[in-house]
Amino acid sequence: MRILITGSNGLLGQKLVERCKKSQINFLATSKGENRNSDCDPNDYQEMDITSLDEITYVFKKFKPTHVIHTAAITNVDYCELHPEECKKVNTDAVQLLFEISKKMNSHFQLLSTDFVFDGEKGNYNENDKVNPLSHYAQRKVDAENLLLNDRDYHNWSIVRTIIVYGIGKNLSRSNLISWTISALKKMNN
Ligand SMILES: NC(=O)c1ccc[n+]([C@@H]2O[C@H](COP(=O)([O-])OP(=O)(O)OC[C@H]3O[C@@H](n4cnc5c(N)ncnc54)[C@H](OP(=O)(O)O)[C@@H]3O)[C@@H](O)[C@H]2O)c1
């Protein structure tokens, strides 16, 4: 098994790197720009902007992943509202690039999606409930999901609709519930 992790500088990506190392699974960590996770050996890291077909092609040819865990995304919902084109490019169009090349290499493609695909009115959703995205971020995740769901020929994929991802990471580009609480408490003590 060879797992390609996208978004390895992000919180979930960092936790996946940790998990692969612990379980001695062969993996390649990728993210945009330089490696900011000091727990990830430089030999296990390759810079890869998911919007660049050239960079994706280079990495897939070199590493030949059996599995792709696609965590990379613009995850700031407000930013996506203000930058809809960029949100589409990263959160939908890049998924198409990654999914197409995964199909060519017969790699399992796992897409990280979100509970935001639902409007929250009903609650206790199951996977067959109708989606009703209320933001650009959520709509682009639905569009990305549909690329997989509407593919009649390729079934080697999965979608994970996770909810609030929180925890401690290295040099994260944005805060989460836990990191925000810790820094707020520290400020109160100063
Ligand atoms: N966070 C949540 O509460 C939550 C809830 C539901 C679903 N999800 C989904 O779960 C997944 C993981 O979330 P997370 O909390 O780990 O997010 P995160 O910490 O924001 O990590 C996302 C990573 O993607 C990277 N990235 C952005 N654009 C890229 C590009 N063009 N090429 C390569 N990498 C790029 C970011 O790089 P930089 O660090 O350089 O910006 C960041 O490191 C995401 O797909 C998200 O939509 C998250």
Side-chain angles (χ1 to χ4, degrees):
M1 181 158 57
R2 291 183 305 282
I3 300 183
L4 178 70
I5 300 167
T6 71
S8 67
N9 281 332
L11 181 56
L12 185 58
Q14 291 191 17
K15 299 299 169 191
L16 289 168
V17 166
E18 191 182 319
R19 182 71 208 183
C20 285
K21 279 170 64 179
K22 202 171 160 191
S23 302
Q24 298 186 316
I25 292 169
N26 189 357
F27 72 96
L28 182 68
T30 67
S31 221
K32 196 175 62 178
E34 63 180 19
N35 179 21
R36 302 198 312 270
N37 177 6
S38 53
D39 289 339
C40 181
D41 190 293
N43 293 324
D44 293 326
Y45 182 83
Q46 172 70 50
E47 185 174 333
M48 183 178 85
D49 183 332
I50 56 166
T51 64
S52 162
L53 181 59
D54 285 350
E55 291 183 25
I56 291 172
T57 306
Y58 173 79
V59 168
F60 270 74
K61 279 192 177 155
K62 188 176 153 206
F63 185 63
K64 298 185 174 54
T66 57
H67 296 75
V68 178
I69 307 182
H70 179 43
T71 82
I74 299 180
T75 54
N76 184 326
V77 178
D78 293 339
Y79 184 90
C80 287
E81 285 301 308
L82 295 171
H83 303 87
E85 287 306 315
E86 193 183 342
C87 176
K88 177 178 178 294
K89 190 175 174 191
V90 177
N91 290 0
T92 306
D93 298 348
V95 174
Q96 181 152 30
L97 298 180
L98 288 163
F99 185 49
E100 288 304 322
I101 196 160
S102 296
K103 286 193 317 193
K104 276 187 197 142
M105 306 207 71
N106 199 25
S107 314
H108 180 89
F109 184 76
Q110 182 166 87
L111 170 68
L112 264 295
S113 188
T114 170
D115 60 336
F116 277 20
V117 297
F118 300 118
D119 59 20
E121 288 294 321
K122 172 181 161 280
N124 288 328
Y125 290 101
N126 70 49
E127 63 189 35
N128 297 318
D129 282 320
K130 201 170 176 293
V131 298
N132 187 25
L134 299 179
S135 63
H136 278 294
Y137 168 78
Q139 180 62 60
R140 293 313 171 199
K141 285 285 184 181
V142 168
D143 295 345
E145 286 189 356
N146 283 338
L147 295 168
L148 282 56
L149 289 163
N150 294 335
D151 193 302
R152 287 169 182 271
D153 302 320
Y154 195 74
H155 305 289
N156 193 8
W157 53 262
S158 51
I159 295 171
V160 180
R161 287 173 176 162
T162 185
I163 60 164
I164 301 169
V165 178
Y166 60 89
I168 310 283
K170 311 259 170 164
N171 302 308
L172 293 173
S173 57
R174 72 187 195 101
S175 61
N176 60 68
L177 189 63
I178 293 295
S179 59
W180 178 85
T181 307
I182 290 171
S183 78
L185 287 171
K186 276 183 180 162
K187 272 184 202 150
M188 277 168 66
N189 283 335
N190 285 337

